[in-house]
Amino acid sequence: MEFRKLSHALGAEVLGLDICKPISDSVFEEVQRAFLRYSVLLFREQHVTREQHIAFSRRFGELDDNDRSPDTDPQYPELTIVTTRPKPDGKPSESRYTGRLWHSDLCHSLTPAMGSLLRCLERPDVGGDTMFANMYMAYDTLSDGMKKLLEGLHGIHTRSRKFDTLSAERAAFLARQRPVAQPAVRVHPETGRKTLYLGEKVKQFAGLTPEESAPLLSFLNKHAVKPEFVYRHQWRKHDIVMWDNRCTMHLALGDFDMNQIRHMERTTIKGTPSGYLYEAA
Ligand code: OGA
Ligand code: MN
């Protein structure tokens, strides 16, 4: 097994590993170390079944089914499906605009995801890449003054979606979800390094008004995704990309023909508790 860096900022391709074959503990530990070092791992040419995708993901920890989208197959609650494929009744998929704002998975829950493994089953002819940003770098490159200012701040994370594409049931479900306040600066539980933890769905800091929060959020979100902190992944069929949600953000690009099929399936690894339920003042 070998690792080849994908960009200066983050990411490495794992060469010489077939996730369907038995993987010894020592090889698996090497993968885990690489995951902590590179934050994003790419496994190419993984001709796996859904069961094998799930089984490999489980080695990293307990899976989370809390983000189940309405397009998910009830037989596989561990899989979140992100697809442009219309529903059996011909209606558009509700997950077709998933991930179009910079975010970290399950940031709106009290146990944000540790990792995610996204598998590409079908891709459009061109476009539909996913971008990843290194949030250690985003934090480390702030001034000492800004770091101090952020230390006590919490961003308010909601589940609401920007796109008005959801069924009435889904919209009602999302409306019932309480916002969660997450520290703007999080300590990665395994590396001990500080990371910036925000995203484009955060519209406000706890205790500040949206108007007061907006200029700072706008600066931080722009700063965090500077090209030099980003890896852009161009998908191939049979790719699995695994990312560390505790120190990266990601974005699904919508630069493709939405009449073509882009079909992705994701497992989500449960993280450690973070944040608190937010009561608006
Ligand atoms: C996700 C997600 C990005 C993509 O599955 O968590 O944000 O490119 N998807 O589909
Ligand atoms: Mn996501």
Side-chain angles (χ1 to χ4, degrees), residues 139-259:
Y139 178 78
D140 290 341
T141 51
L142 293 170
S143 66
D144 289 343
M146 181 57 81
K147 286 177 183 159
K148 205 176 280 172
L149 176 65
L150 291 177
E151 209 50 61
L153 288 180
H154 284 72
I156 309 301
H157 296 248
T158 58
R159 282 189 92 128
S160 61
R161 301 267 176 104
K162 187 180 163 200
F163 294 94
D164 183 23
T165 55
L166 306 170
S167 65
E169 294 95 302
R170 181 72 177 160
F173 166 77
L174 292 177
R176 283 195 304 274
Q177 304 293 303
R178 304 255 306 280
V180 167
Q182 294 287 2
V185 179
R186 258 182 104 189
V187 176
H188 191 294
E190 290 183 82
T191 64
R193 291 179 63 190
K194 285 185 176 173
T195 79
L196 189 63
Y197 194 68
L198 288 166
E200 286 184 313
K201 291 195 231 180
V202 177
K203 298 287 180 247
Q204 189 182 349
F205 289 109
L208 302 189
T209 65
E211 293 77 11
E212 289 166 340
S213 309
L216 190 50
L217 286 169
S218 153
F219 162 73
L220 291 167
N221 280 324
K222 192 168 157 214
H223 165 79
V225 301
K226 280 187 180 154
E228 56 266 42
F229 304 156
V230 166
Y231 165 63
R232 176 170 174 157
H233 184 63
Q234 197 167 24
W235 291 95
R236 290 187 207 157
K237 193 172 168 173
H238 309 301
D239 281 354
I240 294 179
V241 172
M242 176 179 188
W243 61 85
D244 189 335
N245 284 293
R246 302 164 296 184
C247 55
T248 65
M249 290 202 293
H250 58 281
L251 171 77
L253 293 171
D255 61 339
F256 64 98
D257 179 354
M258 290 291 283
N259 296 311

Side-chain angles (χ1 to χ4, degrees), residues 67 80-83 95 98-101 103-106 116-118 128-132 235 243 245 250-253 262 264-266 268:
D67 198 26
T80 297
I81 298 182
V82 177
T83 190
S95 60
T98 293
R100 296 288 177 82
L101 294 172
H103 69 283
S104 172
D105 291 334
L106 304 190
S116 301
L117 289 95
L118 189 65
D129 296 355
T130 305
M131 302 216 283
F132 298 90
W235 291 95
W243 61 85
N245 284 293
H250 58 281
L251 171 77
L253 293 171
R262 180 182 189 273
M264 318 288 281
E265 298 189 357
R266 192 185 91 212
T268 312

Side-chain angles (χ1 to χ4, degrees), residues 125-138:
D125 295 339
V126 286
D129 296 355
T130 305
M131 302 216 283
F132 298 90
N134 181 330
M135 301 300 276
Y136 291 128
M137 281 184 168

